[in-house]
Amino acid sequence: MRSIMHVAHSVSRLHLLLPFALPTAASAQPALQDLDKPALDRLLERATLVERVVGDDFQRTLPHERWIARCFGVGHAAAPAASRQQADDAASSERAARSAAATDDDAPLAPYMLLADGGEPRDAVWACVEPVHVQVAHDHLVLIEPATLQLSTDDAVALLAVARPLIEALGVEVAAPTPLRWYLSGEPLGSLASAAPLRAAGRNIEIWLPHEAHTGRRPRTWMKLQNEVQMAWFEHPVNQAREARGLPAANSIWLHAQGRMTPVSQPFKHVLSRAAATRGLALASGAALATPPATFDRLQQQAGGQTTARAAGRGTAGVTLVELDQLSTPFVQQDWPRFRAAFAALERDWFAPALAALQRRELAELALTLCSDTGTTTLVVRPIDMKKFWRRRSFASLLP
């Protein structure tokens, strides 16, 4: 994984991206029961709504993937830069809230993931392929959340050694700069529509399997490859050993995020993320790259000191993006006690100190992009907004 581990800069304009932070209204009661989040609530009360994108349950990509792709100008329309929006009055906020429902389901992120993993995308179509576990239900197949597979590096290497010749026999190039995530290259991949693993996880995989984007037909070549890999792995020693330990077998492969690398914009000067797609986009844009620290205070320490909002100014410093994905796995697994614990940690480690920094005018601007499993909501708050006591937006009002 390519990274720049120490990024020295003063953080005056901060954007927090929070995948899976907004449960559905139906899940809100178990997800948020007894959750104390006064700092986040205060930030949301005073913030200006910049953009609200309403997706649907049948989009094949994830909302935070679409958001990050649009920010960097990948895919179709570029997203508005949330931290640069001027929407301080209620009417502008209301217009932002009525943003049209998203029809764009484009997030061709595989070449950028390959770049982040240490590969060379070149001018070619790439798709990401990951080993997965597919479970047999009563009358259908269900994709298990990928994090539960817990595949070791050695096991992944052994499984790839079996799958690689099957893939290459189809005339498809294979790149595996990291054993746990592989990449296939071939022009026919560019015509497929596929789903992110976390989109299909826990669901009947029938409608989420790759198909030809223009005809809806299943690609025979991919179906043949998937079947051959499944058979080759069925009694593989790796899977036999895993099942003996009570672990799920790696019994299939999942293709997603296919596309060709294109030039990107640079919406952020500094990017801190563990997600391969976000890291690859940062590398392609020339942004400084690091992994997120554990806390906001640690971010400020790494930045080499604090800068007052007055000194920083809105136009003299770049935006720092921090992607905090602690909520993703418990959300997808619907492990609500774990979800609440992760949310409480974000409140303690990020929201509360960021609120304090705004109040002390050490932050000129804080943007929040909160994602559900279908859409995104972006808000921005500045020190002057903390005095706007008449604003009363609630967290519940943002739930899909």
Side-chain angles (χ1 to χ4, degrees):
M1 179 185 291
R2 298 180 181 182
S3 66
I4 302 170
M5 297 306 295
H6 302 286
V7 182
H9 64 283
S10 65
V11 178
S12 62
R13 301 171 64 199
L14 178 64
H15 196 135
L16 300 181
L17 171 61
L18 295 129
F20 296 104
L22 299 175
T24 63
S27 301
Q29 198 280 331
L32 304 174
Q33 184 179 21
D34 300 325
L35 179 62
D36 190 26
K37 46 180 177 43
L40 178 61
D41 288 339
R42 184 65 179 277
L43 290 168
L44 297 180
E45 280 183 352
R46 300 294 190 260
T48 297
L49 180 59
V50 171
E51 180 194 48
R52 191 166 190 177
V53 178
V54 181
D56 64 61
D57 289 332
F58 296 100
Q59 286 181 281
R60 303 174 72 84
T61 53
L62 293 167
H64 65 276
E65 293 177 337
R66 297 192 295 272
W67 183 86
I68 198 70
R70 289 187 298 120
C71 280
F72 283 89
V74 172
H76 293 125
S83 53
R84 296 182 183 178
Q85 293 293 310
Q86 301 281 342
D88 293 329
D89 60 275
S92 295
S93 296
E94 189 63 26
R95 286 194 296 273
R98 294 198 300 266
S99 179
T103 56
D104 181 12
D105 202 10
D106 200 23
L109 296 173
Y112 304 96
M113 297 167 68
L114 174 59
L115 180 67
D117 284 341
E120 297 295 338
R122 309 186 313 275
D123 182 23
V125 174
W126 291 93
C128 181
V129 171
E130 301 180 45
V132 296
H133 177 78
V134 175
Q135 189 174 70
V136 179
H138 176 64
D139 58 355
H140 60 274
L141 298 176
V142 176
L143 178 67
I144 302 304
E145 202 274 312
T148 64
L149 193 61
Q150 299 178 23
L151 194 65
S152 71
T153 297
D154 289 344
D155 286 354
V157 169
L159 292 173
L160 175 59
V162 174
R164 182 187 287 273
L166 300 175
I167 299 170
E168 292 177 337
L170 300 175
V172 175
E173 180 183 352
V174 184
T178 173
L180 298 175
R181 200 163 39 235
W182 315 331
Y183 299 91
L184 310 186
S185 181
E187 289 299 318
L189 296 172
S191 65
L192 298 183
S194 61
L198 287 181
R199 166 58 73 207
R203 308 184 186 194
N204 183 339
I205 66 173
E206 181 64 24
I207 68 169
W208 304 105
L209 292 170
H211 63 264
E212 295 288 346
H214 299 296
T215 66
R217 296 175 182 171
R218 293 280 167 75
R220 291 185 178 181
T221 300
W222 172 252
M223 293 173 64
K224 177 176 181 291
L225 173 61
Q226 195 172 35
N227 288 337
E228 289 181 352
V229 170
Q230 288 170 345
M231 290 187 292
W233 286 358
F234 180 67
E235 293 185 342
H236 194 282
V238 164
N239 280 327
Q240 291 179 335
R242 288 177 60 83
E243 290 176 339
R245 300 196 305 271
L247 296 174
N251 60 7
S252 190
I253 50 177
W254 196 264
L255 179 144
H256 64 104
Q258 65 280 355
R260 187 187 303 272
M261 191 171 182
T262 58
V264 301
S265 60
Q266 191 189 80
F268 309 106
K269 292 295 185 182
H270 310 91
V271 174
L272 295 89
S273 174
R274 293 182 180 85
T278 306
R279 294 175 67 83
L281 288 166
L283 285 170
S285 75
L289 178 63
T291 55
T295 67
F296 174 86
D297 290 340
R298 182 60 179 157
L299 173 67
Q300 293 290 70
Q301 292 168 7
Q302 291 178 351
Q306 299 171 334
T307 303
T308 66
R310 293 187 184 90
R314 194 175 298 166
T316 60
V319 181
T320 295
L321 175 71
V322 180
E323 183 172 1
L324 301 171
D325 64 353
Q326 293 92 318
L327 301 172
S328 298
T329 295
F331 185 105
V332 173
Q333 296 178 354
Q334 297 190 2
D335 184 346
W336 300 128
R338 187 178 169 194
F339 179 86
R340 291 193 298 272
F343 217 123
L346 289 170
E347 167 75 16
R348 179 192 67 231
D349 297 334
W350 287 92
F351 304 143
L355 172 61
L358 274 172
Q359 293 170 329
R360 294 191 300 265
R361 305 187 70 84
E362 293 167 358
L363 274 181
E365 185 175 273
L366 173 66
L368 299 165
T369 294
L370 306 173
C371 308
S372 66
D373 65 346
T374 55
T376 59
T377 299
T378 297
L379 310 100
V380 63
V381 59
R382 303 182 181 97
I384 194 173
D385 296 325
M386 303 312 299
K387 298 178 180 180
K388 297 177 181 178
F389 58 88
W390 57 89
R391 290 185 173 180
R392 286 290 185 268
R393 180 183 297 103
S394 68
F395 183 82
S397 71
L398 304 181
L399 301 181

